Amino acid sequence: MKQANMKVRNILMTTSLLSLAGGHVNAQERPNIVIIYLDDMGYSDISCYGQKKWSTPHIDRLAQEGVRFTDAYSASPVSSPSRAALLTGRYPARMGIQGVFYPDSYTGIPQEELLLSELLKPAGYATGIVGKWHLGSRDKFLPLQNGFDEYFGIPYSNDMGAQVYLRGNEVEDFHVDQSQMTKKYTAEAKDFISRHKDKPFFLYLAHNM
């Protein structure tokens, strides 16, 4: 019964995503998808939600030209479970993820789960993640083994152990300057968009702070 329910859920999720991605139309008509996920951001930290001490004009423009939600809920108040829910559409407790993963954890996102990245690839999307992964740092749990074509970032939280930047599955830098992290992620995200602008792409930009 559990396997049957999972198959039904996966079929429904795949059908919904492919409709969103325009699975029945050509590449030029499919929307690009960018998800920006921020650690520790409060409801009123951006000016389109009432912040008066500083302005966030670019995010405000996204809200003005798109849709601004005023009532929403996270599936979890902590990192790993909330990310698992975002990328799978499932309650994290049903995946056995109720706390955060650590650099020495032997577990990660269950391999039988289907992530957005895995569902969009058959629709012709280039898939990339920049930033914080935090769904397991062992090889089989990393982004490239879970539907992403490209990855740059820290595989866990920026306050855990020794920090490293991964590119794909390999360590690119053992010395992370956290004061430049946001700028670095932004530059990597812009580079991904520039390289894939002529075809459908899915970019998951997960800032550590």
Side-chain angles (χ1 to χ4, degrees):
M1 178 64 72
K2 182 178 179 181
Q3 289 183 339
N5 287 339
M6 182 172 288
K7 286 181 180 179
V8 170
R9 174 187 62 80
N10 289 342
I11 290 170
L12 290 173
M13 189 173 181
T14 302
T15 302
S16 298
L17 273 172
L18 291 182
S19 292
L20 172 66
H24 60 286
V25 297
N26 62 45
Q28 287 73 28
E29 296 175 309
R30 297 178 193 174
N32 295 320
I33 301 170
V34 179
I35 294 177
I36 304 173
Y37 203 57
L38 308 180
D39 255 27
D40 303 318
M41 191 184 86
Y43 180 89
S44 61
D45 283 349
I46 53 180
S47 48
C48 63
Y49 285 95
Q51 180 55 248
K52 303 297 184 184
K53 295 180 180 179
W54 53 79
S55 63
T56 52
H58 299 300
I59 295 177
D60 292 355
R61 181 180 173 186
L62 289 174
Q64 184 178 6
E65 297 179 0
V67 177
R68 185 175 69 94
F69 294 101
T70 59
D71 192 17
Y73 301 89
S74 174
S76 172
V78 294
S79 181
S80 299
S82 66
R83 292 164 198 277
L86 173 71
L87 290 174
T88 65
R90 300 190 71 207
Y91 287 117
R94 293 182 177 175
M95 294 179 272
I97 304 175
Q98 301 190 61
V100 299
F101 298 115
Y102 290 88
D104 59 353
S105 294
Y106 285 91
T107 53
I109 185 76
Q111 298 301 283
E112 65 270 18
E113 295 297 334
L114 283 175
L115 280 64
L116 286 171
S117 49
E118 295 174 288
L119 294 173
L120 287 168
K121 281 178 70 69
Y125 275 68
T127 57
I129 167 176
V130 173
K132 178 180 178 180
W133 174 241
H134 214 184
L135 289 174
S137 53
R138 304 268 169 180
D139 188 71
K140 67 179 180 179
F141 302 123
L142 291 173
L144 266 58
Q145 284 68 258
N146 288 277
F148 285 98
D149 299 320
E150 301 180 29
Y151 173 48
F152 177 84
I154 296 176
Y156 35 81
S157 184
N158 62 308
D159 58 358
M160 292 180 174
Q163 299 303 309
V164 297
Y165 279 135
L166 292 187
R167 188 173 297 279
N169 292 324
E170 305 297 327
V171 176
E172 179 172 285
D173 196 341
F174 286 95
H175 304 287
V176 174
D177 181 354
Q178 294 207 30
S179 70
Q180 299 299 308
M181 186 183 296
T182 300
K183 289 183 178 179
K184 193 167 186 66
Y185 285 171
T186 301
E188 290 284 338
K190 290 170 65 178
D191 177 65
F192 178 88
I193 291 171
S194 178
R195 288 186 288 107
H196 297 286
K197 63 184 180 180
D198 295 327
K199 60 181 180 180
F201 65 78
F202 165 49
L203 173 62
Y204 173 40
L205 174 57
H207 281 290
N208 283 79
M209 57 185 77

